[in-house]
């Protein structure tokens, strides 16, 4: 349950990181220049908005890395997780087949010759 909540939180931070990166003022102008024609310095009323957005980007990136490392540390590495599968239960309860129980393939039979189709009939 804890690992699942960490993964969900990491996904939410990832979506936020995508949005923050799209807002940033890139060399081409980014979305910050498209929002109502306002410059990036007056978008949020702060003189250096680009510095704040950059700090938010770094914070979200570091947060995602930490959450991924935490989820890796909490995942069961022994492979003894509760896996409910009918195939796994059948395989563990049935004995393995032995060589004596294995079905034998049927012997190959030569095809029966059709009447009138003998090797001598094909010779000139």
């Amino acid at each position: 349950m804890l690992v699942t909540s960490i993964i969900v939180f990491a996904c939410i931070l990832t979506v936020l990181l995508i949005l923050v990166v799209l807002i940033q003022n890139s060399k081409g102008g980014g979305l910050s220049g498209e929002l109502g024609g306002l410059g990036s310095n007056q978008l949020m009323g702060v003189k250096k908005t680009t510095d704040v957005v950059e700090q938010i980007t770094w914070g979200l990136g570091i947060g995602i890395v930490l959450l991924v490392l935490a989820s890796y540390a909490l995942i069961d590495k022994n492979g003894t997780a509760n896996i409910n599968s009918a195939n796994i239960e059948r395989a563990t309860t049935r004995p393995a087949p032995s060589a004596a129980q294995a079905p034998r393939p049927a012997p190959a039979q030569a095809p029966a010759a059709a009447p009138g189709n003998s090797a001598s009939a094909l010779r000139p």
Side-chain angles (χ1 to χ4, degrees):
M1 181 68 182
L2 179 64
V3 175
T4 305
S5 60
I6 288 175
I7 292 172
V8 169
F9 191 59
C11 291
I12 292 170
L13 286 183
T14 304
V15 171
L16 289 175
L17 179 65
I18 290 169
L19 294 175
V20 170
V21 167
L22 286 175
I23 290 173
Q24 284 184 358
N25 188 12
S26 64
K27 292 178 184 175
L31 286 180
S32 62
E34 300 294 327
L35 298 174
L38 297 175
S40 63
N41 289 339
Q42 297 183 15
L43 180 64
M44 290 192 248
V46 181
K47 189 170 185 176
K48 297 224 175 193
T49 306
T50 55
D51 292 341
V52 173
V53 174
E54 184 178 350
Q55 289 175 357
I56 292 172
T57 304
W58 278 103
L60 288 172
I62 291 170
I64 291 169
V65 169
L66 292 177
L67 287 175
V68 168
L69 291 175
S71 66
Y72 175 75
L74 294 174
I75 289 178
D76 185 20
K77 295 173 191 67
N78 295 330
T80 58
N82 293 332
I83 300 173
N84 298 327
S85 173
N87 292 332
I88 293 175
E89 291 175 11
R90 277 189 230 135
T92 56
T93 57
R94 289 185 182 173
S98 64
Q101 294 175 346
R104 295 182 183 175
Q109 297 178 355
N117 289 341
S118 65
S120 61
L122 296 176
R123 292 185 194 159

